[in-house]
Amino acid sequence: MSKKYINNINDRDIAWFNIDNYQYIEELSEQDVIIEFDIRKRVFQGDLSGVASGWGSNLKLATGVDESDFIRMFINKVIAGNPSFLSYVTELKFYDDIAKKHLKSLFPGKATKPVLSLLDDISDFGSRRPYKIWPTSIAEVIGSYELLESTGLTEGLEDNAKDFWLEFDGSSFDSKKDKLEALREVMSKQIEFTKKHFDSVKVYFSEVSKNDHVLCNVDLAGFSDAELIAHFQKSLVEWRELLGVPEPERKVSTPRIIGKLKEFRIIPLLDLFIWEIENDAKIKKSTLSILLFPDGGSGEMLLESGKGKIMRFLDKVMASNFDFKDE
């Protein structure tokens, strides 16, 4: 089948596209604009690894769809005139809750409690990972202990000091001198055990795990939020130096970059490019410019002028190493 070329805006194959459907982008926060852009960048580049890991987990169980199906449903919504990805995720959440209720209804009464717990866990699993700071889970503690065991650092710490004294109290001695010698040995073991315990207190877990995460104890009852934040800010500098983890560049876009995403209409442009790929079609650049900038103006000229500003900017933000950091 030969590639179809779209040479004018009245071609019925692109009747689905209306730039007015993208007005919602003007009202979005910077972070939400990044989300709308990022999902399209992933779809366009075919990089969907983990992109839908937290979406509609119960819906996946109830309907048997996979992550690529969710992406396909989103593309269909774009073509139907509803290009907001964030509203799509909200809609998924609504139907996910319905699916959850349906799944619960399939189990007898005595099985409801574990089923409810499992479904809640599945729903919650994907939502925790984006957090920058979170309470350490039991699974993480167990995993950390297993790592320490593998390095031999728990040896000696597992012994209970009471065992030393139970052995001493259960022994009989031929003389006072023998009893005193045994007492010295028990005291020596007690001191060695205590020393190992205090040595372990002085070593950060991350120094052993060679991990760039830090497990923390936070005294929520003892200090105000302001005191904890001030201490945490100071400690970050010390922890980074101790663990050899330099501060990365801030992954927040400048308002200028966000402004260009909006001004150059990059999000609707990517939707048109994705449609081209899906339909083995090619939209003439002059037609693209009218679709995106129906009122004319500088945007139309910037898109039509060869490898102009819009396409150069698109190449920049679509690069694999572009991460919206300050420039």
Side-chain angles (χ1 to χ4, degrees):
M1 184 176 176
S2 60
K3 187 182 290 290
K4 179 177 177 60
Y5 289 88
I6 309 297
N7 296 316
N8 68 81
I9 62 171
N10 296 316
D11 192 305
R12 63 182 182 179
D13 286 330
I14 52 169
W16 60 270
F17 184 84
N18 186 343
I19 194 62
D20 291 339
N21 293 334
Y22 294 85
Q23 286 298 316
Y24 75 95
I25 295 173
E26 298 300 323
E27 309 300 323
L28 295 179
S29 67
E30 289 187 5
Q31 188 58 43
D32 286 348
V33 172
I34 292 172
I35 291 171
E36 292 278 352
F37 165 76
D38 186 63
I39 184 64
R40 288 162 167 90
K41 177 176 178 177
R42 285 171 172 267
V43 171
F44 182 76
Q45 296 180 337
D47 175 21
L48 301 178
S49 54
V51 70
S53 58
W55 306 354
S57 302
N58 296 303
L59 209 52
K60 291 176 188 175
L61 286 176
T63 62
V65 299
D66 59 21
E67 297 188 355
S68 63
D69 292 323
F70 281 122
I71 297 296
R72 167 61 47 204
M73 289 161 61
F74 170 59
I75 293 173
N76 289 340
K77 287 186 74 67
V78 171
I79 295 173
N82 301 299
S84 171
F85 172 70
L86 292 169
S87 68
Y88 172 60
V89 173
T90 301
E91 183 180 333
L92 274 184
K93 179 67 171 62
F94 172 77
Y95 287 110
D96 191 53
D97 289 341
I98 293 176
K100 182 177 177 180
K101 291 176 183 176
H102 171 67
L103 289 168
K104 289 179 195 174
S105 71
L106 299 178
F107 295 88
K110 64 180 182 180
T112 299
K113 188 172 181 180
V115 168
L116 171 63
S117 177
L118 176 60
L119 292 177
D120 284 340
D121 289 344
I122 291 171
S123 298
D124 186 53
F125 180 71
S127 64
R128 295 186 183 186
R129 286 177 292 175
Y131 295 168
K132 297 176 178 65
I133 302 172
W134 63 92
T136 301
S137 68
I138 292 173
E140 288 171 310
V141 172
I142 292 172
S144 300
Y145 186 77
E146 289 174 348
L147 173 63
L148 292 175
E149 271 190 318
S150 69
T151 63
L153 290 171
T154 59
E155 188 177 345
L157 294 177
E158 296 172 331
D159 299 328
N160 194 321
K162 290 181 181 178
D163 292 342
F164 303 149
W165 294 104
L166 286 174
E167 183 182 352
F168 176 78
D169 292 338
S171 301
S172 57
F173 304 99
D174 295 332
S175 65
K176 191 173 181 178
K177 181 180 179 182
D178 289 342
K179 185 174 183 178
L180 185 61
E181 185 62 33
L183 179 62
R184 286 197 187 100
E185 187 175 345
V186 169
M187 291 295 293
S188 176
K189 288 181 179 179
Q190 174 75 67
I191 291 169
E192 183 180 354
F193 171 81
T194 305
K195 178 73 166 57
K196 282 187 175 182
H197 175 73
F198 278 100
D199 284 347
S200 71
V201 170
K202 293 185 288 185
V203 179
Y204 287 134
F205 171 72
S206 296
E207 289 184 86
V208 177
S209 68
K210 306 301 182 185
N211 198 322
D212 57 2
H213 287 64
V214 177
L215 300 180
C216 296
N217 287 321
V218 182
D219 187 356
L220 295 176
F223 299 93
S224 68
D225 289 356
E227 289 173 305
L228 289 171
I229 290 169
H231 182 74
F232 186 67
Q233 190 170 20
K234 178 183 177 183
S235 298
L236 281 174
V237 178
E238 299 172 359
W239 295 342
R240 288 189 181 283
E241 184 176 347
L242 178 68
L243 301 175
V245 181
E247 182 179 1
E249 293 187 73
R250 191 179 178 206
K251 294 182 179 178
V252 177
S253 172
T254 60
R256 185 175 64 84
I257 295 293
I258 297 297
K260 284 188 176 181
L261 283 176
K262 294 179 179 180
E263 178 190 352
F264 293 166
R265 302 188 176 174
I266 297 299
I267 290 170
L269 176 60
L270 283 175
D271 282 346
L272 287 166
F273 284 166
I274 291 167
W275 178 85
E276 285 183 331
I277 294 171
E278 293 286 313
N279 293 275
D280 192 23
K282 183 67 178 176
I283 304 173
K284 190 177 178 181
K285 189 172 287 186
S286 59
T287 304
L288 267 180
S289 66
I290 297 172
L291 287 170
L292 292 168
F293 304 97
D295 298 326
S298 61
E300 183 180 358
M301 291 186 292
L302 290 174
L303 183 61
E304 278 201 70
S305 58
K307 196 71 171 176
K309 282 188 177 181
I310 291 180
M311 299 310 293
R312 287 203 306 271
F313 176 76
L314 181 65
D315 288 345
K316 174 181 177 180
V317 295
M318 294 294 280
S320 59
N321 62 348
F322 182 81
D323 63 0
F324 284 96
K325 60 191 176 184
D326 289 326
E327 298 182 341

